[in-house]
Amino acid sequence: MTSSAEWQTTACILCSINCGLQVQVEDGHLKKIKGDKNNPRSRGYTCEKPARLDHYQNHQDRLTSPLRRRADGSFEAISWDTAIEEVASKLAAIRDTHGGEKIFYYGGGGQGNHLGGAYSGATRRALGMRYASNALAQEKTGEFWVERQMFGGRPEPDFEHAEVSVFVGKNPWQSHGFERARVVLKQIAKDPERSMIVIDPRRTETAELADVFLQVIPGMDAFVLAAMLAVLVQEDLIDRDFLSARAGDGQALFDVLAAVPVADYCARAGVAEALVRRAAEMIAGAGSVAVVEDLGIEMAPHSTLNSYLQKLLYTLTGNFGRAGTMNLGTHLAQLIGSSKDNRTSPVGGHRIITGLIPCNVVADEILTDHPDRFRAMIIESGNPVHSLADSPRMREALEALELVVVIDVAITETTQYADYILPGASQYEKIEATFFGGGFPDNVFQLRQPLFEPLGDTLPEPEIHSRLCRALGAYNDEDLTILREAAAESREKFALTFLETMASQPKLAAIMPVVLYETLGRTLGEGQAPAALIWGACQTLANSEPDSVRRAGFEGEGPALGDALFDAILSRPEGVLITSDPYEVTFDRIHTDDGRIELLIPELLQELSDLIDEAPPASNDAFPFVLAAGERRTSTANTIYRDPNWRKKDRSGSLRISPGDAERIGVETGGRVRVTTKRGTAIAIVEVNDSLRDGHVTLPNGYGVAYPDENGVRVVHGIAPNELTSSEDRDWIAGTPWHKHVRARVEALG
Ligand code: SF4
C-alpha cells in the first residue's frame, strides 16, 4: 500500500462528480495521476484539477494526533483513549444538563467522503441530537423543497442525449455537475442538430458555446425565467397532452403566466425580448430538453422561486421521462434527510428542509439567551468559519459554545475554535465513497480502496464514531455477541439475525451503522469494516428496486440479491453499475400524494405573481456594484486544497471587473482595489475582464485560506468570500444566502 509503480484505482475528490482516477504512489505521495478508463461513469475523463491532488494528501496542515485546547488557547496532543473518554463525557454532560437536542451537528462530508457522516448518525442518536446542517443548506435546499413538492424526487438531466440543453446560473465548464461535462458541452456545440441555452450574468466558458445566451442583470433571473414561461403559455406552446396525463391542475399557474408582461420583464432583466422568445420557442419545439440550475440562481434573490420556474420550463413542455430529458433515478443511499421533515429550528423557527437548518441562521441559533439555543457543536469534515456567510459572526458563535468538537483531516479556520480536534485519516488513507451518485438510466457506485496507511495517529471516521458510541454506553460487546456469531457463520445467517435484532432492540437499532461496523464489518478484512454500512444500503436498494438491480446484471432473491450487489462493489474498486432502468420507470418514481407532478406551490405562485409589483433595484451610491462572492475558475477548488502552491496562476484570486467599470474607477489589470460591503472590507488585485456586465464584479471561491509560510507564520492567501457576506441576506423560504448578489463598493487604491 505504501509504494508501487503499479497503477491503482481511486477517484477525484474535488467535485461531486468524483471522476475515476488511476494513480501511482511512491514514498507516501501521489506521483502520477490519470483518468480511469475502467470507471463506468467517467470513462477516463478528468478536468485539470486532480493532477495536483498530492497537495491534498501531503501538506503542512495535516493533523496527526488528537488535540485538546489548553487554557491559553494553544493545543496539546493527547491519546485517543483520553480524547474519546473526555469528548464523550463532556458531550454526555451537556446532554444530561440541557438535553441532547442542544448539541448541533454540522458537516458530514465534502465532495468525496460521505462514509464518516453516515456513521455519525449513530453518535448523534446516542446523544439524542436532533438538529444538523451542512453546506447543502446554503446551496440546494430551496431546490430540494421544490422538487419534493413537484415530483417527490430529484430529476436528473440527460445532457448526453438532449436536443436542447439549458444551463441556468450554471457554468459546467468550471463547476461540472454532470459526467464528462466538457466533452458533452463540446459535442453539443459541434452538433448542428443540438443546441444550448445559457442564462447567466457573466459570459462564462459555457456561455461562449451557447446558441442563445441571455446575459441577465445579476439578481433578475426570476424575471427572465417568468418571461420564458409566459411565452410558453401565451403562445400556447405547452404540452397539454403530457400535462393532462402526468400532472395535476395548473390553471392557477397558467393564469398568472398569462398576465406576465413579457417585454417589460425582459427589459427589467436586461435581456433582448427576441432572444427570450427564441429560447422559449426552442424549448417548446425540441424533441428533448434537459435543464440544470446551480449556485448562480440558488445563491441569488428569488432563489427558491428560481428553482420552481426552472423546473416548470421542462415540465410544461413535457420534457420528462424520456431520453434526453429529465428522469428520476435510484440512490444507493440518501445523502439528505427525510423529505417529510417539516420541523423548524428551535430558536428562530426557520424551516428545516431535508433535515437541514439553513446555514445562514446557525449563528443566530447560538448567539441568543433563548433557552433552546445550541450549547455545543460537533463539526465533521466541514469548515463553517470559512464557508458560511458572515465569518466574523460564525467565529463569535463558536466562541460562545460550551463545547466544540471537530473531526477533520487538517487544521482549518474552524479547528482554531475547537476544544477537541479528532484527526481523521485522509480520503486516500481509508475505504471511502460518495453518495452523490445518481445517474440515469444507468447508476454507478464506487467504493474506493485506501492508497496509503493512515498518517500518524489518525483514524477513519467510522472508527471514531464507533469508539464514541461505546464510550457513551450505547453498546457493549455483550450486546453484539449474537450478531458477531451470525456474521462469522454466513452472510445469510447474519441478514436474518440483523433484521431480528433491529426489530427487537431499539437501543441497537438507533446506532445501526456502528452495529454493522462492529459485527459484519469485522469480518470483511483489514481496513474494510466501514464497508459494512454499504451492505445495509445494498439490501435496502435490492429490496426497493429489485428489477433495476437485476437489469444491472445481478441475480438472487431477497437478501441474496443485495449480497450479490455488495460483493461486486467490494471487488470492483473502479466502480460498479448498480441499477439500470428504462426511461418510463421515471413515472413510477413520482412520489407525490397522487403520483402526478404537482404544478402549484402556493407560496411560490404568490411570489411569482408579486414580481409584477417588485420595485426595480434602487441605485445605491454606497454600494453600487453587485459582487458574486465565490466564482468557480480554473484556479479554484474547495478548501481541502489548503496549500496555495497547488495553484499555478492567480495566486491572490483576482477581482474581475468589466472594462467600462475599470476605466470609470481608474484601475487596470494588476491594480489594487478596496472592496467594501456592509459586513467587511478587503484588498483585491484586479483582472479587467470583458465577460462581465458593467456593475458586476466577481471574486473566486476557495481562497482566503491560512497556510504556514517558510517561517511557520500562517499567511492568508486571497480573500475569504464570507468575510464580506451577511447572514441576513437570504431566501425567505430556504434561507439560502445571496452570495452571488452582495452589494459592494469598489475603490481604486494608488
Ligand atoms: S470534473 Fe470534478 S471530479 Fe472530475 S476531475 Fe474535475 S474536479 Fe475532479
Side-chain angles (χ1 to χ4, degrees), residues 46-59:
T46 71
C47 69
E48 70 283 353
K49 289 178 185 171
R52 301 162 215 169
L53 272 169
D54 198 53
H55 286 289
Y56 160 76
Q57 173 62 21
N58 292 290
H59 60 87

Side-chain angles (χ1 to χ4, degrees), residues 400-518:
L401 290 168
E402 293 172 30
L403 182 69
V404 177
V405 178
V406 174
I407 303 171
D408 212 321
V409 174
I411 294 168
T412 69
E413 288 62 36
T414 298
T415 57
Q416 313 296 314
Y417 295 87
D419 296 290
Y420 290 88
I421 305 173
L422 306 180
S426 89
Q427 297 193 44
Y428 295 117
E429 295 167 352
K430 64 196 172 203
I431 194 166
E432 193 47 285
T434 173
F435 295 136
F436 281 133
F440 190 95
D442 294 336
N443 190 5
V444 168
F445 182 78
Q446 183 181 16
L447 184 66
R448 312 191 303 268
Q449 290 294 321
L451 302 171
F452 305 101
E453 298 290 346
L455 181 69
D457 204 7
T458 64
L459 289 175
E461 291 87 346
E463 176 67 25
I464 297 173
H465 288 295
S466 179
R467 293 187 188 191
L468 282 172
C469 284
R470 185 188 286 265
L472 287 163
Y475 77 92
N476 58 38
D477 286 326
E478 203 178 316
D479 294 329
L480 305 182
T481 303
I482 295 174
L483 283 164
R484 282 178 172 153
E485 288 171 0
E489 190 176 323
S490 71
R491 196 80 67 70
E492 194 180 354
K493 174 80 174 169
F494 178 79
L496 284 172
T497 312
F498 179 75
L499 286 175
E500 284 168 12
T501 306
M502 292 298 104
S504 62
Q505 296 199 47
K507 175 184 150 188
L508 293 184
I511 57 161
M512 184 264 284
V514 160
V515 171
L516 281 171
Y517 177 87
E518 289 291 344

Side-chain angles (χ1 to χ4, degrees), residues 445-738:
F445 182 78
Q446 183 181 16
L447 184 66
R448 312 191 303 268
Q449 290 294 321
L451 302 171
F452 305 101
E453 298 290 346
L455 181 69
D457 204 7
T458 64
L459 289 175
E461 291 87 346
E463 176 67 25
I464 297 173
H465 288 295
S466 179
R467 293 187 188 191
L468 282 172
C469 284
R470 185 188 286 265
L472 287 163
Y475 77 92
N476 58 38
D477 286 326
E478 203 178 316
D479 294 329
L480 305 182
T481 303
I482 295 174
L483 283 164
R484 282 178 172 153
E485 288 171 0
E489 190 176 323
S490 71
R491 196 80 67 70
E492 194 180 354
K493 174 80 174 169
F494 178 79
L496 284 172
T497 312
F498 179 75
L499 286 175
E500 284 168 12
T501 306
M502 292 298 104
S504 62
Q505 296 199 47
K507 175 184 150 188
L508 293 184
I511 57 161
M512 184 264 284
V514 160
V515 171
L516 281 171
Y517 177 87
E518 289 291 344
T519 56
L520 177 68
R522 298 298 185 195
T523 70
L524 297 176
E526 193 181 344
Q528 303 296 303
L533 194 63
I534 304 297
W535 175 83
C538 287
Q539 295 298 344
T540 303
L541 182 65
N543 186 47
S544 61
E545 301 279 359
D547 295 340
S548 299
V549 173
R550 289 200 180 94
R551 280 190 291 265
F554 300 99
E555 294 176 356
E557 296 295 329
L561 183 61
D563 276 335
L565 183 57
F566 179 59
D567 287 337
I569 287 172
L570 273 184
S571 64
R572 290 188 233 156
E574 73 278 13
V576 178
L577 178 69
I578 58 170
T579 54
S580 186
D581 288 313
Y583 285 94
E584 57 271 21
V585 166
T586 284
F587 295 107
D588 300 334
R589 293 188 181 139
I590 298 174
H591 291 307
T592 52
D593 288 345
D594 61 2
R596 298 169 76 84
I597 299 171
E598 178 58 73
L599 297 179
L600 307 180
I601 301 179
E603 296 96 323
L604 296 178
L605 207 51
Q606 187 62 52
E607 190 178 348
L608 172 64
S609 193
D610 291 345
L611 281 182
I612 200 159
D613 296 321
E614 186 168 297
S619 63
N620 187 330
D621 292 340
F623 301 114
F625 287 89
V626 171
L627 165 69
E631 183 184 49
R632 270 60 181 168
R633 300 178 185 168
T634 304
S635 61
T636 69
N638 55 56
T639 55
I640 64 170
Y641 267 162
R642 297 198 62 80
D643 178 355
N645 294 313
W646 83 269
R647 292 189 184 93
K648 297 210 172 12
K649 295 180 188 162
D650 199 16
R651 292 287 181 102
S652 61
S654 56
L655 177 100
R656 286 179 170 163
I657 188 169
S658 76
D661 286 334
E663 187 178 348
R664 197 155 40 77
I665 68 168
V667 71
E668 297 178 345
T669 292
R672 291 164 70 242
V673 291
R674 178 184 293 110
V675 185
T676 307
T677 67
K678 66 181 177 184
R679 193 64 184 108
T681 187
I683 307 298
I685 306 294
V686 158
E687 177 196 325
V688 179
N689 190 303
D690 69 3
S691 68
L692 291 157
R693 300 180 66 111
D694 287 347
H696 191 204
V697 292
T698 64
L699 280 170
N701 74 307
Y703 283 77
V705 168
Y707 192 73
D709 67 10
E710 57 278 11
N711 301 313
V713 177
R714 299 189 73 77
V715 176
V716 175
H717 297 265
I719 298 171
N722 285 311
E723 300 293 340
L724 298 171
T725 58
S726 299
S727 57
E728 74 260 26
D729 292 333
R730 58 181 187 248
D731 184 66
W732 70 284
I733 286 182
T736 37
W738 296 351

Side-chain angles (χ1 to χ4, degrees), residues 12-19 21 45-50 176:
C12 176
I13 55 172
L14 295 173
C15 87
S16 64
I17 298 307
N18 298 104
C19 297
L21 297 179
Y45 173 88
T46 71
C47 69
E48 70 283 353
K49 289 178 185 171
H176 315 292

